[in-house]
Amino acid sequence: MSSILYNIIISPIELVVEIVFELMFRIVGRHETNQGLAVIGVSLAISLLTLPLYRRADAVQQKERDIQAKLSHWVKHIRKTFKGDERFMMLQTYYRQNNYNPLYALNGSISLLLEIPFFIAAYHFLSHLEALNGASFGLILDLGKPDSLIKFGDVSLNLLPILMTAINCISSAVYLKGFPLKDKIQTYGMALIFLVLLYNSPSGLVVYWTCNNIFSLGKNIFYKIRNPKKYIVILCAVFGVLLTFALILSGVLNSRKKLFVVFLFQYVAILPLFFYLARNTASARKIHAIFASEKSVELKDSLSFILASVFLVILTGILIPSSVIVSSPAEFVDLRHYQNPFHFLVNSTCYAIGFFMLWPGIIRLILPENSRKSVGLILWLFCGIFLVNYMCFGRNMGVLSPLLVYENDFSFSRKLKVLNLIVCMGVFLLFFVAFRFKKITSFFGIVLVISISVLALTNVHKTQKKLSAMAYIKSSSDDAEIKQIFTLSRNGKNIIVFMLDRAISGYVPYMFEEKPELKRQFAGFTYYPNTLSHGFCTNFGSPALFGGYEYTVTEMNKRNTEFLVDKQNEALKVMPKLFSDCGYNVGVLDPPYAGYNWVGDLSIYDDIPNVKAYNLAGKIKTDSLVEQAGRLGFDRNKRNFFCYSIFRCLPLAVSKIFYRSKFEFCNRRNKK
């Protein structure tokens, strides 16, 4: 349950932090000294993204403080005059007369409640980020360790946490001017708690949080200025333009992708200024007044929001991951630690709930009533764009590995990208207009939810049927503790045949020359230098290696009335059958694509006497690093399935950028 709650509440934020870090790292360059700049960029980006959220939270808190100040006189009088049940009844009556509930006092802590998930996400990501280990930044020698900048002989003190706390206290002093003592104690107490928690943390994490506090200080100073919005949007626009010019002149932007990301950042920085100017024109005020004069349709807006969020959760959390799993369920089973592949669906659904239901719901709850419909509108537009991109585009990109990485590079033509963009714009306009008609939105939303639910349940049912038909996969994991699989004769003749998948035969002599101990260990074996696969994939090339020339691609194609799986199984049985007929006890290990399954179906050897077949995963001792890497790959899939869903739903022009920044970054972390 704790893992599920973490994936719903914290993991979506951590994923955003990770994506932003990778984008920043790509902008500043991949040199290890640029890790600190990437961390600062992440801090700035996350602060800007969450600024409207915290701004609204501050407004809610201020409103709560004003209400408490308004009621405080009579509340104090009642508490002073009455006691026991009489005091309780009087207070309840007074609160009811003023349409106030004591639970509303929690609104005063809303900023703190919002800050905790962001802190946990940043702490977990940056404190476990291998890229920071050994990376220097200015006076900091290692971002993966405490800074130890102050030294007195053998004693060292960490300067960054102290600096972070000092900035936090200054920011709090500016913000809390004129606030009651209770709020000051709470804020300064949190600053001390952060000092204790982060004092021995990696300096990269402390740099992140120090930058957050600097940004918060600037924000609090601006809030004390009259009409701060105007200055904030102007500064954002100026900063975006100056940063773009600085990066262009520095020569860092040496590729189109980096240039695209920087100009996208500049566009986002200038966008608030555009909205501010547009909103303050006379025509914009008239339009705003027309919308504001509409009667409340809170119930229908809530229904639109719920339907859109449920649709996105099912699409990205269940339907797309299940469509990948159902194609080959065995590929997503780790025999060393057996788990039903449905646990991937649970994790991807948790991520989707956090992204499209929980956090949009929190934002919607914080926003004023006249702005809440905008959250539902945004999700509604996502529904249309995600649906058309997944159903109609990017469907033939090659073979997808069990780690959700395409084996070969893929690309989209410019013509297809333009077509996709035109279709997305059309769908955007269609869904935008349809959102104005609540009955149409509700009906169409219900139809969409029911449709994709049926598709998702169909995939789940098919997957379960396939898993039931491959019960040997579960049994292969259950007997993983077998100590001895087969024995070799000390006095008789042993024949062992190796087929190394994706091995290059010509490298074998060179490996033996570099490692003489290997040559001694394989004394008695015959090396055949003239063996060559007839196909570029295992299922094409291995039949000829196991069965001989009769199973080359050309010869098998002549038997065009038979299934490929039957010809594959025949080839795998040729040598075991020959050795069995000669009186040998035969052991077959990991027959590739037996039964055309990722985990070989060993039942194909049941009709041959003296043959025992095994799948070795979990039965032999492997290198701990190999074991750890394999396990880590499956663990990363718990969130990579959701990332893959988002990738499949994005417009083609940006989907490959997301694929590169997200999955290649994951692979680098997996390798480490």
Side-chain angles (χ1 to χ4, degrees):
M1 181 56 69
S2 61
S3 177
I4 290 176
L5 291 176
Y6 186 92
N7 285 339
I8 292 176
I9 301 172
I10 308 297
S11 292
I13 303 175
E14 186 177 347
L15 187 58
V16 172
V17 172
E18 186 173 339
I19 293 172
V20 174
F21 178 84
E22 171 63 9
L23 290 176
M24 291 296 174
F25 195 35
R26 283 175 173 269
I27 292 173
V28 300
R30 297 190 173 278
H31 195 272
E32 64 175 18
T33 57
N34 292 336
Q35 303 282 4
L37 292 176
V39 171
I40 293 174
V42 170
S43 176
L44 178 62
I46 297 298
S47 297
L48 289 174
L49 288 173
T50 56
L51 180 60
L53 192 61
Y54 281 112
R55 180 58 175 160
R56 180 56 192 165
D58 290 340
V60 172
Q61 287 179 286
Q62 186 58 49
K63 182 179 178 181
E64 173 60 25
R65 281 189 287 267
D66 293 341
I67 294 174
Q68 288 184 1
K70 178 182 176 181
L71 303 179
S72 62
H73 175 72
W74 284 106
V75 169
K76 291 179 181 178
H77 177 72
I78 292 172
R79 287 176 175 172
K80 182 178 179 181
T81 307
F82 302 97
K83 294 182 179 180
D85 292 341
E86 190 176 12
R87 175 198 288 176
F88 176 77
M89 295 299 296
M90 291 293 291
L91 284 173
Q92 290 297 108
T93 303
Y94 181 64
Y95 287 145
R96 187 169 59 253
Q97 289 174 345
N98 289 275
N99 297 317
Y100 182 76
N101 191 316
L103 292 177
Y104 294 165
L106 293 175
N107 291 338
S109 303
I110 191 168
S111 290
L112 176 62
L113 295 176
L114 286 174
E115 190 173 10
I116 290 174
F118 284 91
F119 170 75
I120 295 174
Y123 183 88
H124 186 264
F125 173 70
L126 292 174
S127 60
H128 293 85
L129 185 60
E130 293 287 342
L132 296 182
N133 292 337
S136 61
F137 182 65
L139 297 176
I140 305 171
L141 299 179
D142 190 347
L143 289 172
K145 297 179 181 179
D147 60 88
S148 302
L149 290 176
I150 303 176
K151 294 185 178 181
F152 300 98
D154 295 333
V155 180
S156 60
L157 297 176
N158 300 324
L159 176 62
L160 279 179
I162 300 172
L163 180 63
M164 174 198 71
T165 305
I167 296 172
N168 196 1
C169 290
I170 296 172
S171 175
S172 300
V174 174
Y175 176 73
L176 295 172
K177 187 177 181 180
F179 278 44
L181 181 61
K182 180 185 69 174
D183 293 330
K184 294 181 179 179
I185 293 174
Q186 174 182 304
T187 305
Y188 289 123
M190 284 302 301
L192 293 176
I193 291 174
F194 277 112
L195 173 62
V196 174
L197 290 175
L198 298 179
Y199 184 77
N200 288 315
S201 296
S203 54
L205 175 61
V206 185
V207 168
Y208 170 86
W209 213 253
T210 302
C211 292
N212 272 14
N213 290 339
I214 294 173
F215 183 87
S216 179
L217 175 60
K219 177 192 69 174
N220 292 336
I221 292 174
F222 271 105
Y223 283 169
K224 298 298 180 180
I225 301 174
R226 187 178 179 181
N227 194 11
K229 288 184 179 179
K230 179 173 69 174
Y231 295 99
I232 291 176
V233 297
I234 292 174
L235 277 178
C236 287
V238 172
F239 175 78
V241 173
L242 291 178
L243 178 64
T244 302
F245 278 110
L247 290 173
I248 291 174
L249 293 175
S250 66
V252 174
L253 305 179
N254 51 11
S255 68
R256 291 183 179 179
K257 292 180 180 178
K258 291 182 179 180
L259 196 63
F260 171 78
V261 172
V262 169
F263 277 107
L264 180 63
F265 173 79
Q266 178 183 330
Y267 173 77
V268 172
I270 296 177
L271 201 59
L273 178 61
F274 171 78
F275 280 120
Y276 178 82
L277 295 175
R279 189 173 182 180
N280 285 275
T281 60
S283 57
R285 284 195 293 269
K286 291 179 181 180
I287 295 173
H288 180 72
I290 293 173
F291 278 96
S293 64
E294 292 183 349
K295 294 183 179 180
S296 175
V297 285
E298 180 67 22
L299 182 61
K300 292 183 179 179
D301 285 336
S302 298
L303 180 60
S304 300
F305 168 78
I306 292 171
L307 288 173
S309 59
V310 170
F311 173 83
L312 291 171
V313 167
I314 297 175
L315 177 67
T316 60
I318 304 177
L319 178 61
I320 298 178
S322 65
S323 65
V324 175
I325 294 174
V326 72
S327 61
S328 182
E331 292 189 51
F332 301 99
V333 174
D334 185 359
L335 291 180
R336 292 161 294 203
H337 311 276
Y338 180 83
Q339 277 185 305
N340 191 300
F342 288 140
H343 79 283
F344 291 127
L345 298 184
V346 174
N347 284 277
S348 61
T349 302
C350 289
Y351 273 87
I353 291 173
F355 259 98
F356 299 117
M357 190 174 290
L358 175 68
W359 284 104
I362 292 174
I363 295 172
R364 188 175 182 274
L365 187 63
I366 294 175
L367 289 175
E369 290 187 8
N370 60 348
S371 301
R372 290 179 180 175
K373 65 170 64 177
S374 60
V375 179
L377 173 60
I378 293 172
L379 292 182
W380 178 246
L381 296 175
F382 277 162
C383 290
I385 294 173
F386 278 22
L387 181 64
V388 72
N389 283 323
Y390 174 65
M391 292 295 184
C392 304
F393 295 95
R395 304 187 63 85
N396 299 310
M397 292 181 286
V399 179
L400 189 68
S401 77
L403 295 180
L404 304 180
V405 178
Y406 288 100
E407 291 191 355
N408 298 308
D409 196 14
F410 61 90
S411 61
F412 306 109
S413 65
R414 184 174 300 178
K415 182 178 179 181
L416 187 60
K417 289 180 181 178
V418 172
L419 176 62
N420 173 248
L421 187 61
I422 293 173
V423 172
C424 286
M425 291 176 63
V427 171
F428 180 92
L429 293 175
L430 178 64
F431 273 64
F432 183 83
V433 173
F435 189 78
R436 299 285 298 154
F437 304 94
K438 298 300 178 184
K439 290 184 178 180
I440 296 177
T441 304
S442 301
F443 174 76
F444 193 44
I446 292 172
V447 171
L448 284 177
V449 169
I450 293 175
S451 300
I452 65 166
S453 297
V454 171
L455 292 175
L457 290 175
T458 301
N459 286 341
V460 171
H461 177 66
K462 289 180 179 178
T463 302
Q464 185 57 47
K465 285 184 66 176
K466 289 185 177 182
L467 288 173
S468 299
M470 295 185 292
Y472 62 88
I473 295 179
K474 179 67 166 64
S475 63
S476 296
S477 177
D478 290 339
D479 61 0
E481 297 301 322
I482 296 176
K483 299 286 177 92
Q484 183 173 302
I485 296 179
F486 59 90
T487 58
L488 298 177
S489 172
R490 290 181 178 272
N491 302 317
K493 188 175 182 180
N494 298 301
I495 299 177
I496 301 176
V497 179
F498 289 105
M499 198 287 282
L500 301 179
D501 197 6
R502 299 193 179 188
I504 300 177
S505 176
Y507 287 173
V508 173
Y510 296 99
M511 290 188 292
F512 283 165
E513 290 299 325
E514 291 184 8
K515 299 286 185 180
E517 62 272 18
L518 287 179
K519 194 171 185 179
R520 290 192 297 269
Q521 291 175 6
F522 285 90
F525 283 85
T526 301
Y527 163 59
Y528 295 94
N530 60 342
T531 54
L532 182 67
S533 170
H534 285 73
F536 65 91
C537 292
T538 302
N539 56 336
F540 296 156
S542 62
L545 293 178
F546 286 104
Y549 290 105
E550 295 178 7
Y551 295 94
T552 59
V553 175
T554 303
E555 294 300 318
M556 287 202 300
N557 284 342
K558 294 178 180 179
R559 301 160 57 184
N560 54 15
T561 59
E562 303 176 39
F563 291 112
L564 276 174
V565 60
D566 296 328
K567 290 179 275 191
Q568 174 80 12
N569 292 342
E570 277 184 25
L572 293 174
K573 293 164 66 175
V574 169
M575 282 193 288
K577 172 66 173 173
L578 293 174
F579 282 111
S580 175
D581 291 344
C582 293
Y584 283 90
N585 292 319
V586 183
V588 180
L589 310 178
D590 290 328
Y593 293 109
Y596 257 30
N597 290 312
W598 184 259
V599 180
D601 183 1
L602 307 181
S603 63
I604 67 171
Y605 299 103
D606 289 347
D607 60 341
I608 306 176
N610 302 322
V611 173
K612 292 183 178 180
Y614 304 92
N615 289 310
L616 288 185
K619 296 185 176 68
I620 60 175
K621 184 178 180 180
T622 58
D623 185 272
S624 59
L625 292 178
V626 174
E627 174 82 13
Q628 183 180 0
R631 185 62 185 158
L632 183 60
F634 276 89
D635 287 341
R636 298 294 287 181
N637 269 357
K638 294 177 182 178
R639 41 84 90 175
N640 277 1
F641 265 109
F642 176 73
C643 295
Y644 177 78
S645 297
I646 298 298
F647 155 72
R648 289 287 286 106
C649 294
L650 290 175
L652 300 184
V654 296
S655 62
K656 193 168 184 179
I657 296 175
F658 178 83
Y659 173 82
R660 294 297 186 197
S661 63
K662 191 81 223 71
F663 288 96
E664 286 188 355
F665 184 55
C666 294
N667 290 339
R668 288 199 302 275
R669 295 184 70 186
N670 286 346
K671 291 175 183 177
K672 292 180 180 178

